[in-house]
Amino acid sequence: MSELTPALLWLIPVAPLLASIFIAFFGKALLRGRSHVPCVTALAISTLCAGSLMLMFLAAPSQLKPDPNTNSLHQRPSEHALQPVLTTPGYAWAETADLNVRLDLQMDAMTAIMLCMVTFVSLLVSIYASGYMHGDPGYPRFFAAFALFVFSMCMLVLADNYLTMFIFWEGVGLCSYLLIGFWFQKPSAAAAARKAFVVNRVGDFGFILGVFLIWKTFGTVRFADVFELIPHVAETNPGIFTTICLLLFLGAMGKSAQFPLHVWLPDAMEGPTPVSALIHAATMVTAGVYMVARSTPLFVMSPTAQMVVSGIGAITALLAALTALTQYDLKRVLAYSTVSQLGYMFMALGAASVSPKLATFAVTAAMFHLFTHAFFKALLFLGAGSVMHSMGNVIDMRRFSGLRDVMPHTRITFLIGSLTLAGCPLLSGFWSKDEILVALFEGTKAGGHETFFMVILGVAVLTAFLTAFYSFRAYNMTFLGEERFPEEAHHPHESPPTMTLPLFVLAGFSLVIGLFLGPTGVYARQLAQSTSLPGHGDHPHNILLMALSAAIFCGGYGLARWMYVKSPAVSAGLERGLKPLHRLSLNKFFLDELFNYLLVIPVKVLALLCTLFDKYLLDGLLNFAGSIPSTIGRIVRPIQNGLVSHYAWVMLLGVVLFLIQMLRALAG
Amino acid sequence: MLLLSIIVLPLLAAILLALLGGGRAVARWVALLTAIGTLLVSLGIASQLKVARDGHRTNTTDRPVDGPVQPRLEWRRTWMTLGNIAQKPAQLTDFEFDADSGDPSDVVDGSERIRTGDTRKALLHRMGFVNGDERVQLNDTQLAELRDAGIVRREASVRLEFYLGADGISVLMLALTAILTISAVLISWESIQDRAAEFYLCLLLLEAGMLGAFVAFDLILFYVFFEFTLIPLFFLVGIWGGAQRQFAAYRFFIYTLAGSVITLLGLVALVLKVMETGLTATPFSIPDIAAALKEHPLSDQWQIGLLLALSAGFVIKVPLFPFHTWLPLAHTEAPTAGSVLLAGILLKLGCYGFLRICLPILPAAVAGFGVPIYATMAVIGIVYGALGALAQSDIKKLVAYSSVSHLGFCMLGMFALNSEGITGAVMQMVNHGLSTGALFLLVGMVYDRYHTRELSELGGLATRLPLLSVCMVFICMASAGLPGLNGFVGELLALIGMFKANPIYAAIGATGVVLGAWYLLDMLRRAFFGPLKEPASVHGPILDINMREALSVVPLMALCLWIGVFPKPLLDTIEEDVRAVVKMYPPSAPAKSEFADAKQTTQETLISVDRRE
């Protein structure tokens, strides 16, 4: 088995890459309507490889003990002696005097979990997309970019150093750009794609500077080496950790859409719905959470940075949930919900600052929520896509309602997704959300920042309530009420099996995965094997908090039912009554406008000033310098006017002067 | 021999074209074949270099092998010798008293205070070398003693050489020049109708000049080639350019010439200064000067003065802010081939000049005086160029401003003065050549089809020209520094090098990466995405990229990808030669203190000579 593992590990990213290249070159000429075949096949291979490696990890970590004959498994010498890391050599990417970057793969428990989730969800989404994108002229292009995304995402989580991680971090950004702008004829899609890339670049600016600082401080960018050197650096330069962590977190804010860099994600819904489901809900946007979780040893060194992480997470979660309350675009509701849930994960990550003992639990809570969220959010997005497919690409919830009879499959799966997102007891979202609440609750008891975490916990509870409310608002507005269709929907119908099958699979996972992995502690034990985590992640559940979150769920559900099903007049009345607040929420707190006036316009003005500076000042100076010779020429030109009499006079003058001088000399 | 032939080949072809003339068909084929030939020769040089790297250095001089500039291949021929000290008995007339290199203040000699020059005369007198105005025979030991003491210098005994060479840095630039020339010929294939023979003549002359500058290891030769490139480009812009072509041609010619003249003054001063010290018999040879001055550095003031003079031409050529205003104009007016070569190669001559001449020869001035000035200019250039690009509505002008920004990264890396930074700078030179060259090619293709480059008149071209748009997106990503493509490697190394030296500069420089994505993607969005919009004046079918155009741009794209994914071979080639330069700048002890030590040693020797009386 151990001889096979490097091949399996490489196969996970390489299979989608090959598929992508193949589709890119032959898709248009050869494959056309069958372009999904290589992609789906490759993803199935990746899923199988990831799954089998995961099973190896699950079976018994002790079986993966280092084999003295091969280097494929190696053991970390520090306190995590029992935690196996699977590394596979690749090639040296760049070597200079002090910078050595190798493209090697590394797999530990955290990577394995991410890989399983990424490959499995993308497999389902690709099957769904083969139905959803059917007949689109850009069909091959879609699957080429899709497979390339899976490749980049796998490499991102398989990276064994910060620089490789950054490389593929931007790689997934590129795929996101290409897929958001998939329908490039639509100006809004083109603009959203550019916005996503540029806003992400702002985050990446911080990330790369963080990597530079890590390199300068530690002399290496490999995770294992960096984490090992932390005690040394902590002695000589403890202040540096806050800077490093904040810079890294800026990167995470960009990719994981945290306030104020979250503005790109709702716009990214311009892309095809499968893309929204996979990239902008399930996988890519969680890369920031993964990166911060991966860097836990660094973040543990800086409570300040972790409080910032928590704080930003809380602001984002609340703000996004408030915005989601009033959106009419179903996909946008889900997008804001994604932003909000990502904020939730960051809140938990920040709680690692409470105590080293709690650090692993807090990170586990975040990673667990990431895991469950991937399933139920992909499910919700695919459900929304199914609605859109049927409604002739209309997604405004005001224009249709009562779809429960037309789309029974979509309805039942969407309902499961909503229940999970809202935190219905026993479903997966409930368990992972509960863990986060427990982690935050621990923060209110100890760690020296009790008040801070009190506020954070309050925000988390409020957000949970809002989440329950808006999930059912969306469900109720779409599937309940009187049956209405927009005129674009020529024949409303249930989606084909290629689309509903993934929905059912995802719904199944959303239902049970939390119960199987959460309270049993399987997930936590598995994740604790990761090299990035100190200690164990087990923590008893808190019955009180569980009851609280169950109550919150019921409250949110009941309110939504009352307002949108029982007496719809209430919601309309409330809308009128709280007009300013409603407008604030509907317009996303005017953040886009704020960005425009505070950032975009000033930069554009500055750019204009630069060209004016060039044109008038620099060129003016240049023209002035250039005019000097001709000016001198103009001044002396009259002397040479070509009149012989003039010259004769001057000559005479010269002769006279000469004579005078000579006479004076003779006299002297 | 290959080194010589790489210059002679395009020159011969140019002469052939000039003599025979010939029609468009003949001329472009001659040009294409010549360009391919030079590419092959440059690859030959590269393979020879690889052999030479494995221990067979063709070192034709007794120069120490650890000098800061070390061509691994050499081809040198002396064509004139002025004065020859070796065959004559040493007489005092062969020496002059050195009044400059010593301490300018008066020297106390016993009780009497005498002017420096006189001190030495008196000193020699007392040492018994001189009796009044008599000529005295000196033996070799005495001669060496005096020279070591810095008292005498050898009278001008100078070999003028034709000195060509190649190392890892120059060989990359040679290959890049050859590749871009092929692209330039291909892109001009149809679009140049008038006076085609003359056009290709100029193109080949330009290539010869650029190749010459990269293989020249002789100061004068370098300068000659450096300047020579202006002439064919002047004609390319002035004859085959756009509406304002003559104004643009004159402006760029005179502007860059004005800078170069100051560089020439600096070169002359440098050579005279080296001749004064008598440290080397070949004061025009860059490696020999560098090796000699490494042991006996010039004084601080001289170094700073020389740096300012030498860099005058280079900063304009690069161009560093605020000397960049000639560039956008020259680019917009130049024909596509001219733009490609101007951006791809000619601008690099400025960076190359810094790397070849300023960094190895004037370490004290560069480290102490140069870094704050040039690095600041580079950082401003990065941001300013990007902002400038953001405000443009002409695609070509946008790309021109992006050049200012990208070359800022080159200079930023270079003035990090460490291995990462300088390697990154050279890498960025290559990368910018590839990606901006390709951008100009693509913009040229759009212009050939629509006769406009205004963003406001174009839109949604991806619908009409899908393949061209794919190329455009690819190259824009390379140019914006997307990892996995070439731009990232250079920018990363330049920034990381600068971060090591000074994080503030690097942080400001890194904002250029954000802005870079902004202006390039904005251009893509406006011209290529959205609903199709074409200028009303266009008639006839608009076809997607054809085979000839693809041949001109696809190899560049392939190289971009290859460098991005496997940068190591190239980095290794560069770094080996960069390391020699970096040795001049030890991180702990700046070069300045080294210089102070050296000066002190000289004085001590002088005192010991003094005491011997």
Side-chain angles (χ1 to χ4, degrees):
Chain A
M1 195 68 177
S2 65
E3 280 160 25
L4 208 63
T5 43
L8 283 179
L9 203 54
W10 270 110
L11 206 54
I12 298 173
V14 167
L17 176 66
L18 291 179
S20 167
I21 294 169
F22 185 72
I23 301 169
F25 277 101
F26 301 106
K28 216 163 182 175
L30 210 69
L31 297 163
R32 284 185 289 265
R34 283 162 294 156
S35 297
H36 61 277
V37 177
C39 180
V40 173
T41 317
L43 293 181
I45 294 172
S46 296
T47 311
L48 279 178
C49 295
S52 58
L53 285 175
M54 186 75 217
L55 282 180
M56 278 170 62
F57 270 86
L58 271 176
S62 53
Q63 278 180 16
L64 283 166
K65 268 187 182 162
D67 183 349
N69 299 323
T70 61
N71 284 330
S72 67
L73 295 176
H74 90 102
Q75 206 173 13
R76 277 169 46 75
S78 61
E79 72 264 35
H80 319 299
L82 283 174
Q83 294 156 9
V85 187
L86 198 62
T87 57
T88 315
Y91 65 94
W93 187 74
E95 271 175 18
T96 62
D98 295 328
L99 179 73
N100 286 303
V101 182
R102 290 184 53 82
L103 206 70
D104 296 340
L105 301 188
Q106 168 194 306
M107 188 187 204
D108 65 356
M110 195 187 281
T111 307
I113 290 170
M114 288 293 287
L115 273 181
C116 285
M117 185 269 277
V118 169
T119 51
F120 182 64
V121 175
S122 50
L123 174 65
L124 291 176
V125 175
S126 71
I127 294 170
Y128 176 93
S130 70
Y132 186 86
M133 299 301 292
H134 187 75
D136 193 284
Y139 198 71
R141 186 157 53 92
F142 178 85
F143 282 98
F146 193 95
L148 188 66
F149 165 75
V150 181
F151 160 72
S152 305
M153 189 70 204
C154 289
M155 288 300 286
L156 169 78
V157 293
L158 279 165
D160 77 333
N161 66 63
Y162 279 104
L163 206 63
T164 322
M165 192 183 198
F166 180 79
I167 290 177
F168 292 100
W169 181 273
E170 289 238 315
V172 291
L174 167 76
C175 300
S176 159
Y177 169 79
L178 294 176
L179 287 167
I180 296 171
F182 181 75
W183 288 308
F184 56 82
Q185 288 96 338
K186 260 169 59 186
S188 56
R194 181 199 53 159
K195 185 175 179 184
F197 198 86
V198 174
V199 173
N200 264 300
R201 264 285 163 104
V202 176
D204 295 353
F205 163 78
F207 188 4
I208 194 73
L209 286 182
V211 175
F212 287 175
L213 194 56
I214 288 174
W215 175 72
K216 196 179 176 185
T217 315
F218 295 91
T220 173
V221 289
R222 284 197 63 214
F223 296 138
D225 300 341
V226 169
F227 298 158
E228 215 163 279
L229 286 171
I230 283 176
H232 299 280
V233 175
E235 276 169 25
T236 52
N237 195 355
I240 200 87
F241 288 107
T242 305
T243 321
I244 290 178
C245 292
L246 288 179
L247 286 172
L248 289 182
F249 182 56
L250 185 60
M253 280 162 67
K255 190 110 308 181
S256 288
Q258 293 301 291
F259 175 83
L261 298 184
H262 69 281
V263 287
W264 67 271
L265 187 60
D267 286 13
M269 299 305 131
E270 291 292 341
T273 308
V275 170
S276 310
L278 180 66
I279 301 185
H280 303 117
T283 54
M284 183 189 84
V285 289
T286 61
V289 180
Y290 169 76
M291 187 254 273
V292 174
R294 175 59 77 197
S295 313
T296 305
L298 286 172
F299 276 85
V300 168
M301 302 305 292
S302 169
T304 321
Q306 287 192 312
M307 308 245 299
V308 173
V309 172
S310 248
I312 296 281
I315 295 173
T316 313
L318 187 61
L319 217 58
L322 285 173
T323 313
L325 290 182
T326 56
Q327 298 301 310
Y328 293 113
D329 181 324
L330 179 55
K331 276 178 80 181
R332 272 180 194 261
V333 174
L334 295 176
Y336 277 104
S337 149
T338 306
V339 174
S340 175
Q341 297 302 310
L342 289 166
Y344 237 88
M345 298 173 206
F346 280 109
M347 277 194 256
L349 287 174
S353 66
V354 174
S355 72
K357 242 172 109 181
L358 200 71
T360 308
F361 174 67
V363 174
T364 307
M367 290 299 288
F368 190 39
H369 196 54
L370 183 158
F371 188 70
T372 56
H373 175 255
F375 290 97
F376 65 74
K377 193 49 71 65
L379 168 64
L380 284 169
F381 264 110
L382 294 185
S386 178
V387 170
M388 212 170 153
H389 194 68
S390 166
M391 294 294 116
N393 281 329
V394 173
I395 196 66
D396 191 330
M397 292 188 289
R398 285 169 297 189
R399 298 188 54 197
F400 51 73
S401 63
L403 304 183
R404 61 184 174 275
D405 297 327
V406 182
M407 313 184 71
H409 298 160
T410 307
R411 178 226 169 174
I412 184 75
T413 49
F414 198 92
L415 177 62
I416 292 171
S418 300
L419 283 170
T420 321
L421 171 63
C424 173
L426 302 183
L427 302 190
S428 59
F430 172 77
W431 296 107
S432 53
K433 203 174 282 183
D434 181 61
E435 281 196 18
I436 290 179
L437 291 178
V438 173
L440 294 175
F441 183 64
E442 291 299 322
T444 62
K445 292 196 298 194
H449 305 290
E450 288 85 355
T451 332
F452 176 77
F453 279 106
M454 209 82 91
V455 177
I456 300 282
L457 183 64
V459 171
V461 172
L462 178 59
T463 309
F465 173 73
L466 295 174
T467 309
F469 175 75
Y470 69 67
S471 336
F472 280 97
R473 170 178 173 267
Y475 171 77
N476 295 344
M477 282 179 80
T478 307
F479 292 100
L480 304 184
E482 63 162 321
E483 197 171 87
R484 274 190 306 133
F485 306 122
E487 57 269 29
E488 284 92 335
H490 300 301
H491 52 97
H493 57 281
E494 181 57 279
S495 300
T498 45
M499 289 167 70
T500 48
L501 185 73
L503 287 178
F504 278 113
V505 176
L506 284 170
F509 272 87
S510 302
L511 282 175
V512 298
I513 205 162
L515 189 62
F516 279 168
L517 299 181
T520 54
V522 174
Y523 187 91
R525 270 200 301 282
Q526 204 50 41
L527 193 70
Q529 309 281 339
S530 169
T531 47
S532 297
L533 297 180
H536 297 286
D538 272 339
H539 200 276
H541 286 273
N542 188 323
I543 300 295
L544 256 168
L545 276 175
M546 277 179 153
L548 177 69
S549 57
I552 287 168
F553 162 74
C554 296
Y557 172 78
L559 189 66
R561 192 161 175 80
W562 180 58
M563 274 177 67
Y564 289 94
V565 184
K566 297 277 183 235
S567 44
V570 177
S571 65
L574 216 59
E575 221 167 83
R576 273 193 302 278
L578 299 171
K579 195 151 189 155
L581 287 178
H582 182 255
R583 274 192 57 193
L584 200 62
S585 164
L586 188 65
N587 291 304
K588 313 146 202 169
F589 291 87
F590 296 100
L591 279 172
D592 277 329
E593 286 75 10
L594 213 64
F595 261 91
N596 202 21
Y597 285 114
L598 288 183
L599 206 73
V600 178
I601 290 180
V603 168
K604 291 230 161 127
V605 168
L606 205 61
L608 202 66
L609 283 179
C610 279
T611 47
L612 292 180
F613 185 78
D614 260 15
K615 198 166 173 185
Y616 293 104
L617 195 73
L618 291 179
D619 276 4
L621 281 174
L622 206 63
N623 290 338
F624 173 71
S627 68
I628 290 174
S630 54
T631 312
I632 293 174
R634 212 172 301 124
I635 291 168
V636 295
R637 186 157 48 192
I639 300 171
Q640 295 171 6
N641 55 6
L643 295 174
V644 179
S645 59
H646 207 110
Y647 293 167
W649 275 109
V650 175
M651 208 168 102
L652 188 66
L653 197 72
V655 171
V656 169
L657 281 175
F658 174 71
L659 283 176
I660 290 171
Q661 193 62 28
M662 210 167 73
L663 285 173
R664 275 179 61 184
L666 283 175
Chain B
M1 212 49 220
L2 280 176
L3 290 170
L4 186 63
S5 60
I6 201 169
I7 311 173
V8 170
L9 187 63
L11 268 182
L12 272 182
I15 293 168
L16 206 68
L17 277 181
L19 291 179
L20 301 178
R24 189 157 66 99
V26 181
R28 62 195 189 185
W29 274 108
V30 170
L32 182 62
L33 292 177
T34 314
I36 292 172
T38 41
L39 177 63
L40 293 178
V41 177
S42 74
L43 293 178
I45 293 176
S47 70
Q48 278 196 358
L49 206 66
K50 212 165 158 50
V51 177
R53 192 202 288 173
D54 308 332
H56 309 290
R57 246 172 221 286
T58 53
N59 199 347
T60 55
T61 53
D62 50 355
R63 190 173 65 235
V65 283
D66 62 340
V69 182
Q70 284 289 340
R72 286 191 239 147
L73 291 178
E74 286 187 335
W75 189 88
R76 57 201 300 185
R77 294 286 179 276
T78 307
W79 53 275
M80 193 189 279
T81 310
L82 304 172
N84 196 334
I85 194 164
Q87 290 157 12
K88 276 195 286 179
Q91 292 188 329
L92 192 63
T93 41
D94 291 327
F95 304 98
E96 282 175 28
F97 297 110
D98 188 356
D100 294 336
S101 74
D103 195 337
S105 67
D106 290 351
V107 174
V108 180
D109 179 39
S111 59
E112 48 186 34
R113 294 173 71 85
I114 324 168
R115 291 282 306 158
T116 313
D118 293 339
T119 315
R120 299 203 168 151
K121 207 176 265 179
L123 176 68
L124 286 171
H125 190 83
R126 265 177 275 120
M127 284 168 77
F129 292 148
V130 186
N131 294 313
D133 287 312
E134 247 177 280
R135 294 183 171 192
V136 171
Q137 296 282 333
L138 298 178
N139 61 30
D140 283 351
T141 331
Q142 287 171 320
L143 197 68
E145 210 169 68
L146 285 176
R147 204 180 297 144
D148 285 348
I151 292 172
V152 295
R153 63 182 185 213
R154 206 177 343 206
E155 194 187 65
S157 156
V158 169
R159 290 210 304 274
L160 298 182
E161 290 178 311
F162 197 72
Y163 185 178
L164 305 180
D167 65 359
I169 300 165
S170 55
V171 79
L172 288 183
M173 300 312 294
L174 292 178
L176 181 68
T177 310
I179 291 168
L180 285 182
T181 309
I182 297 177
S183 293
V185 172
L186 284 172
I187 200 70
S188 313
W189 207 255
E190 300 289 344
S191 57
I192 299 299
Q193 302 279 352
D194 302 336
R195 293 196 260 181
E198 286 89 339
F199 178 84
Y200 292 107
L201 167 75
C202 285
L203 211 60
L204 289 173
L205 280 179
L206 183 58
E207 185 189 18
M210 296 183 302
L211 292 168
F214 289 125
V215 288
F217 274 76
D218 179 283
L219 281 178
I220 295 306
L221 207 55
F222 174 77
Y223 183 76
V224 166
F225 282 122
F226 185 81
E227 284 300 88
F228 174 73
T229 52
L230 283 182
I231 299 161
L233 192 67
F234 174 76
F235 289 118
L236 283 177
V237 177
I239 298 176
W240 292 277
Q244 273 189 294
R245 55 183 177 266
Q246 297 198 338
F247 175 64
Y250 278 111
R251 161 172 276 191
F252 107 85
F253 190 87
I254 291 181
Y255 198 165
T256 48
L257 188 71
S260 321
V261 168
I262 305 176
T263 302
L264 181 63
L265 278 178
L267 289 180
V268 171
L270 174 66
V271 169
L272 288 177
K273 196 71 195 157
V274 172
M275 279 165 68
E276 257 178 27
T277 61
L279 292 165
T280 170
T282 48
F284 289 103
S285 139
I286 297 171
D288 293 351
I289 298 176
L293 291 184
K294 191 184 178 192
E295 304 300 322
H296 304 276
L298 297 172
S299 74
D300 257 1
Q301 288 82 358
W302 264 100
Q303 289 206 18
I304 291 175
L306 283 175
L307 179 65
L308 282 176
L310 287 173
S311 63
F314 300 150
V315 291
I316 292 176
K317 198 75 149 195
V318 170
L320 274 177
F321 174 87
F323 304 105
H324 62 273
T325 48
W326 63 273
L327 185 70
L329 185 67
H331 268 314
T332 28
E333 296 306 320
T336 302
S339 293
V340 169
L341 291 180
L342 174 59
I345 312 293
L346 279 168
L347 303 184
K348 275 45 168 221
L349 285 177
C351 306
Y352 187 79
F354 268 109
L355 180 58
R356 225 5 135 224
I357 299 178
C358 297
L359 258 57
I361 294 181
L362 308 165
V366 167
F369 172 81
V371 169
I373 292 182
Y374 297 111
T376 310
M377 279 159 78
V379 164
I380 296 177
I382 291 174
V383 178
Y384 190 92
L387 287 173
L390 202 54
Q392 298 310 318
S393 61
D394 179 326
I395 305 181
K396 215 168 176 186
K397 224 168 188 169
L398 185 146
V399 180
Y401 270 100
S402 85
S403 288
V404 177
S405 184
H406 282 129
L407 286 157
F409 281 110
C410 277
M411 296 310 289
L412 193 69
M414 185 124 25
F415 281 92
L417 299 178
N418 51 34
S419 180
E420 286 79 21
I422 300 179
T423 309
V426 178
M427 201 70 212
Q428 180 74 354
M429 281 157 69
V430 176
N431 292 337
H432 176 259
L434 290 173
S435 53
T436 305
L439 269 178
F440 276 122
L441 289 173
L442 292 165
V443 175
M445 292 176 202
V446 171
Y447 185 77
D448 283 348
R449 286 166 172 75
Y450 293 109
H451 303 288
T452 180
R453 295 180 304 248
E454 279 299 314
L455 283 171
S456 54
E457 294 180 42
L458 298 169
L461 299 185
T463 317
R464 178 77 80 194
L465 309 165
L467 286 177
L468 198 149
S469 306
V470 168
C471 298
M472 196 67 170
V473 172
F474 184 95
I475 290 296
C476 279
M477 285 298 166
S479 188
L482 186 87
L485 298 176
N486 58 349
F488 175 69
V489 187
E491 281 175 11
L492 172 83
L493 287 173
L495 285 175
I496 210 168
M498 193 31 114
F499 194 88
K500 198 168 159 189
N502 189 336
I504 301 295
Y505 286 128
I508 303 173
T511 58
V513 180
V514 180
L515 291 171
W518 189 343
Y519 63 74
L520 284 168
L521 297 191
D522 205 45
M523 185 269 281
L524 280 180
R525 181 183 65 89
R526 288 163 73 182
F528 289 87
F529 301 147
L532 184 65
K533 184 163 83 179
E534 290 170 318
S537 58
V538 170
H539 302 292
I542 298 290
L543 298 175
D544 204 356
I545 197 163
N546 60 30
M547 189 47 104
R548 171 182 59 80
E549 290 169 328
L551 277 178
S552 74
V553 73
V554 170
L556 303 186
M557 287 161 62
L559 281 172
C560 286
L561 186 64
W562 179 66
I563 294 176
V565 179
F566 301 105
K568 190 169 179 291
L570 244 58
L571 290 178
D572 289 349
T573 314
I574 299 167
E575 211 217 353
E576 190 169 352
D577 294 293
V578 164
R579 218 177 289 147
V581 179
V582 172
K583 262 191 214 151
M584 306 288 288
Y585 302 95
S588 50
K592 204 168 175 178
S593 65
E594 230 179 44
F595 162 71
D597 290 344
K599 191 170 167 182
Q600 209 170 353
T601 343
T602 322
Q603 277 186 341
E604 275 165 14
T605 328
L606 190 69
I607 292 163
S608 71
V609 172
D610 200 351
R611 277 186 196 136
R612 200 178 301 170
E613 187 203 1

